[in-house]
Amino acid sequence: MDVSTVKSIASVMLTGKTKVAGVFGDPVEHSLSPLMHNAAFRELGMDWVYVPFRVKPEALGAATDGVRAMGIAGVNVTVPHKVAVMEFLDEIDPEAQLIGAVNTVVHREGRLVGYNTDGQGFLRSLRRQAGRDPKGATVLIAGAGGAALAIACSLALAGAGSITVANRTVAKAEAVAGRVKGHVPARAVSLDPDDPAFLDALGEAEIVIHTTSVGMYPRHDVPPIIPVERLAEDALVCDIVYRPRETSLIRAARERGCPVLTGEGMLAYQGAIAFELITGQTAPEELMLQVLQDHLAEERI
Ligand code: ATR
């Protein structure tokens, strides 16, 4: 066994001082967070471990109490617990309050504080990978689910110029627009290529963010629901779907000549921000992104 192998084995050994973080989800087997966070701990030589916890909805309160009882440093929270976990926490950060969902719980001396890093993860990806500042930007968000809401709230708080939310079910787009209206001019339109308001929004958008599940593996072989020919050629087209990395929307946008932003960045950076909140250390964010990209490339989806 060579030295580097011994070192890499030693670096994942647990000790009496090992700190524990993890993720609550149901299911949780598909989560890529353990991969990213454990890689980050090893990179920084930290005596920490990140564990997936399958938590049934009816056990969420007990599991959250377990974070306090067992001195777990913090957990990420994923589907289906992001809203339900809030009632078990001591404090909720204002941005997570606006979003109405928590994806990161930090344990500070017996108190559990909830944050939401999803929208901030998107913003960090936007800044780092696309070199774009959301301030003043005219934004179109396609979709009105949990991810759209988190992104809309973070964009609103970051000073976006205006946000149009386009969704198949317009009432849900109205709910998202209504949530951010106190911070940014916002409107709802129908995600319908025959709706003139949607077409206007497409033509005006500087940043377009696709958040629906359309184009996600295994149903990836479908046409994009955003007619890219209606976009300005310099509009930045973002897809938060990361399986496959090159969605039909990203391909169509590239063919039109638009700059693009693929979805794995949001996942990596929401993890990096959660890592910083839980550990108090700067995340090795490039490594976390690289590990994720390598893993997704290996899946060959
Ligand atoms: P998430 O939490 O990941 O954002 P979600 O809350 O289930 O997921 O939201 C899914 C989004 O994808 C919704 O905006 C949904 O539109 P509806 O609100 O009209 O259901 C959108 N979506 C899913 N399938 C779609 C389809 N075939 N065409 C258009 N939009 C679709």
Side-chain angles (χ1 to χ4, degrees):
M1 209 182 288
D2 64 20
V3 176
S4 68
T5 310
V6 172
K7 270 190 180 165
S8 74
I9 292 170
S11 67
V12 294
M13 254 171 29
L14 308 183
T15 73
K17 293 182 190 151
T18 304
K19 291 197 174 154
V20 180
V23 54
F24 287 179
D26 182 27
V28 79
E29 302 87 89
H30 66 283
S31 174
L32 298 176
S33 295
L35 181 76
M36 280 195 293
H37 287 267
N38 285 314
F41 293 148
R42 284 204 285 284
E43 171 79 1
L44 298 183
M46 293 165 70
D47 187 3
W48 283 62
V49 64
Y50 188 102
V51 186
F53 294 105
R54 182 163 188 187
V55 176
K56 295 269 172 212
E58 61 274 19
L60 183 60
T64 310
D65 284 342
V67 172
R68 285 192 195 86
M70 294 191 288
I72 291 173
V75 287
N76 285 119
V77 180
T78 187
V79 179
H81 303 313
K82 288 185 182 187
V83 176
V85 76
M86 295 173 78
E87 68 171 288
F88 304 113
L89 306 180
D90 300 300
E91 193 181 325
I92 306 216
D93 162 81
E95 186 159 327
Q97 266 175 37
L98 182 65
I99 297 168
V102 157
N103 80 334
T104 304
V105 175
V106 182
H107 185 183
R108 291 199 184 105
E109 291 155 9
R111 285 176 62 75
L112 300 185
V113 186
Y115 296 87
N116 194 314
T117 70
D118 286 330
Q120 286 299 328
F122 176 77
L123 291 189
R124 203 180 271 195
S125 166
L126 186 69
R127 292 186 173 113
R128 302 270 206 277
Q129 297 178 287
R132 297 286 280 263
D133 188 343
K135 207 167 231 147
T138 302
V139 179
L140 172 65
I141 299 178
L149 180 59
I151 290 171
C153 291
S154 297
L155 280 166
L157 296 178
S162 71
I163 297 178
T164 301
V165 185
N167 198 44
R168 177 177 63 181
T169 311
V170 183
K172 280 172 73 182
E174 279 164 357
V176 173
R179 192 78 68 93
V180 297
K181 252 182 190 152
H183 303 273
V184 63
R187 66 174 165 162
V189 299
S190 167
L191 207 168
D192 171 356
D194 295 326
D195 180 351
F198 179 49
L199 296 178
D200 283 352
L202 286 166
E204 290 161 10
E206 294 166 331
I207 301 176
V208 178
I209 309 160
H210 173 253
T211 70
T212 83
S213 46
V214 176
M216 201 181 280
Y217 181 85
R219 294 168 60 195
H220 53 291
D221 212 4
V222 293
I225 52 172
I226 296 173
V228 294
E229 66 281 2
R230 306 304 291 246
L231 298 173
E233 277 174 34
D234 59 353
L236 173 68
V237 177
C238 315
D239 197 338
I240 71 163
V241 172
Y242 55 85
R243 278 185 176 119
R245 197 168 162 209
E246 175 109 351
T247 59
S248 59
L249 171 63
I250 291 289
R251 203 173 319 119
R254 270 195 222 281
E255 279 164 14
R256 171 149 177 77
C258 294
V260 298
L261 182 62
T262 53
E264 79 287 355
M266 174 176 171
L267 179 63
Y269 290 108
Q270 67 73 30
I273 298 165
F275 180 98
E276 290 171 353
L277 288 166
I278 292 171
T279 67
Q281 302 219 32
T282 304
E285 54 183 34
E286 273 165 34
L287 171 102
M288 294 173 84
L289 179 62
Q290 191 61 54
V291 164
L292 198 58
Q293 286 174 340
D294 290 351
H295 179 85
L296 292 170
E298 267 174 30
E299 287 183 347
R300 291 179 215 279
I301 287 170

